[in-house]
């Protein structure tokens, strides 16, 4: 899809909330990003997608707006989520710590700078803890100044990967010590992160973990920008990947096949591993153990598709685009 002036100041927030089994509740949260309390639509904001995962009991809501409007859209959705989701009764196989578990802000347009996204992320963290008393947040990426630690790093520090994190041992960056009802929310900004989940036909989670380790960025020979978990899912094992955009160009030995999608932020070039490469690597490693693939799912969109669809939705005045996208072919 061709670029337009409409897209030059767009940003995306892939809001992660700890609920998927009550889809009407998740839609209520999404609509709070789009409409004020009187039901009047916020101009220039759209929800492109709602991804619900029953086993994980986790949903990802893709909110896109201009950098000037994104803060209020996110905060209203978070207020609604915190009023409806109680972490004391939450169950699900995916790690999580907060009713609103993650608020990442990603630039989509050329006129959006890293500093702009950082400013909004910090304002959202502060605004959430002020509007919803008892909420607390940790910061990551560009918002974690000056260290700018990545999400996986900060989650490990906070105990996010533990089955039962000890909230009493956590010191939040913003707000009070985390409370059981709301938990702890990660708030940050950075280059776009795509979510790619590959399912293999086995119930052997240990096998899945060995595959996850092999493709993880931190492993020698792993894929740049790829952070991975292996989780039981629907009677199989899902290799759940956060695909971070990396600065510069991809390594030469990984460029055979589909090109790495690329974009720029403030004149800096970024790219990310294509889903086809991740799928092929998982299939190869699983195949060596006699295990076949079941499929690959993108949670939301690639950065390019996210911007293109947002430009279309906003130009057509479609706020609840998640209801329309199945019938629209871009």
């Amino acid at each position: 899809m061709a670029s337009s002036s409409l897209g030059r100041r767009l940003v995306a927030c892939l809001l992660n909330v700890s609920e998927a089994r009550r889809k009407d509740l998740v839609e209520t949260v999404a609509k709070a990003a789009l409409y004020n309390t009187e039901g009047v639509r916020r101009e220039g904001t759209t929800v492109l997608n709602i991804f619900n995962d029953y086993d994980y009991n986790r949903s990802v809501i893709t909110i896109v707006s201009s950098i000037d409007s994104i803060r209020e859209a996110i905060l209203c959705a978070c207020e609604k989520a915190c009023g409806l989701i109680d972490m004391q009764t939450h169950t699900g196989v995916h790690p999580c710590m907060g009713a609103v578990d993650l608020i990442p802000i990603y630039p989509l347009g050329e006129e959006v700078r890293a500093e702009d996204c950082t400013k909004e992320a910090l304002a959202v963290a502060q605004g959430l803890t002020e509007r919803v008393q008892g909420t607390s947040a940790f910061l990551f990426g560009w918002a974690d100044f000056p260290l700018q630690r990545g999400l996986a790093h900060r989650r490990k520090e906070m105990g996010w990967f533990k089955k039962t994190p000890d909230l009493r041992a956590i010191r939040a960056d913003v707000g009070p010590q985390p409370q059981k009802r709301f938990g702890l929310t990660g708030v940050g900004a950075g280059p776009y992160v795509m979510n790619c989940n590959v399912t293999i036909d086995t119930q052997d989670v240990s096998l899945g973990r060995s595959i996850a380790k092999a493709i993880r960025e931190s492993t020698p020979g792993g894929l740049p920008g790829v952070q991975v978990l292996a989780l039981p899912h629907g009677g199989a094992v899902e290799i759940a990947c956060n695909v971070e955009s990396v600065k510069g160009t991809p390594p030469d030995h990984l460029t055979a096949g589909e090109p790495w999608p690329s974009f720029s932020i403030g004149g800096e070039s970024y790219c990310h591993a294509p889903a086809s490469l991740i799928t092929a690597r998982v299939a190869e490693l699983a195949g060596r153990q006699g295990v076949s693939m079941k499929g690959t799912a993108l949670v939301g969109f690639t950065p390019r598709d996210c911007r293109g669809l947002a430009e279309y939705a906003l130009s057509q005045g479609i706020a609840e685009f998640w209801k329309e996208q199945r019938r629209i072919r871009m």
Side-chain angles (χ1 to χ4, degrees), residues 231-245:
L231 300 166
H233 190 270
V237 172
E238 188 161 84
I239 311 300
C241 305
N242 276 2
V243 187
E244 298 177 352
S245 299

Side-chain angles (χ1 to χ4, degrees), residues 73-309:
I74 293 171
L75 284 172
C76 288
C78 290
E79 281 187 271
K80 184 64 70 174
C82 288
L84 296 172
I85 301 168
D86 186 345
M87 288 304 291
Q88 296 173 103
T89 60
H90 179 271
T91 59
V93 299
H94 197 288
C96 66
M97 289 182 75
V100 177
D101 198 55
L102 185 66
I103 308 173
I105 299 176
Y106 307 132
L108 295 177
E110 301 89 342
E111 294 180 5
V112 180
R113 302 169 303 164
E115 308 93 271
D116 299 324
C117 293
T118 299
K119 177 184 174 182
E120 293 308 308
L122 293 173
V124 164
Q126 190 66 40
L128 174 62
T129 58
E130 291 173 355
R131 291 194 191 189
V132 184
Q133 295 298 307
T135 57
S136 51
F138 71 87
L139 304 172
F140 66 90
W142 294 334
D144 176 42
F145 189 82
L147 298 178
Q148 298 193 350
R149 290 164 290 185
L151 177 59
H153 184 137
R154 297 301 335 264
R155 279 175 163 173
K156 187 173 182 179
E157 289 180 341
M158 296 293 159
W160 186 86
F161 295 101
K162 296 179 180 177
K163 190 170 182 64
T164 53
D166 182 5
L167 296 180
R168 297 169 299 176
I170 294 171
R171 186 173 181 179
D173 295 326
V174 185
Q177 183 175 326
Q179 299 181 11
K180 289 182 179 179
R181 175 183 169 84
F182 303 116
L184 180 69
T185 300
V187 184
Y192 197 97
V193 176
M194 184 179 72
N195 302 108
C196 174
N197 297 338
V198 185
T199 305
I200 56 176
D201 194 10
T202 181
Q203 295 184 13
D204 185 349
V205 178
S206 62
L207 170 60
R209 287 176 181 150
S210 70
I211 292 172
K213 182 178 180 181
I215 68 172
R216 190 173 291 134
E217 178 183 43
S218 58
T219 300
L223 298 175
V226 175
Q227 313 294 335
V228 201
L229 290 173
L231 300 166
H233 190 270
V237 172
E238 188 161 84
I239 311 300
C241 305
N242 276 2
V243 187
E244 298 177 352
S245 299
V246 295
K247 192 177 290 187
T249 57
D252 291 339
H253 70 282
L254 293 174
T255 54
E258 182 183 347
W260 286 44
S262 60
F263 57 95
S264 66
I265 302 170
E268 295 267 15
S269 295
Y270 290 84
C271 63
H272 65 85
S276 60
L277 174 62
I278 296 167
T279 301
R281 184 64 63 86
V282 171
E284 175 191 356
L285 292 167
R288 291 177 187 173
Q289 306 299 321
V291 173
S292 61
M293 289 268 302
K294 292 194 74 174
T296 299
L298 290 183
V299 180
F301 311 97
T302 65
R304 186 182 301 274
D305 286 345
C306 188
R307 174 171 169 170
L309 289 168

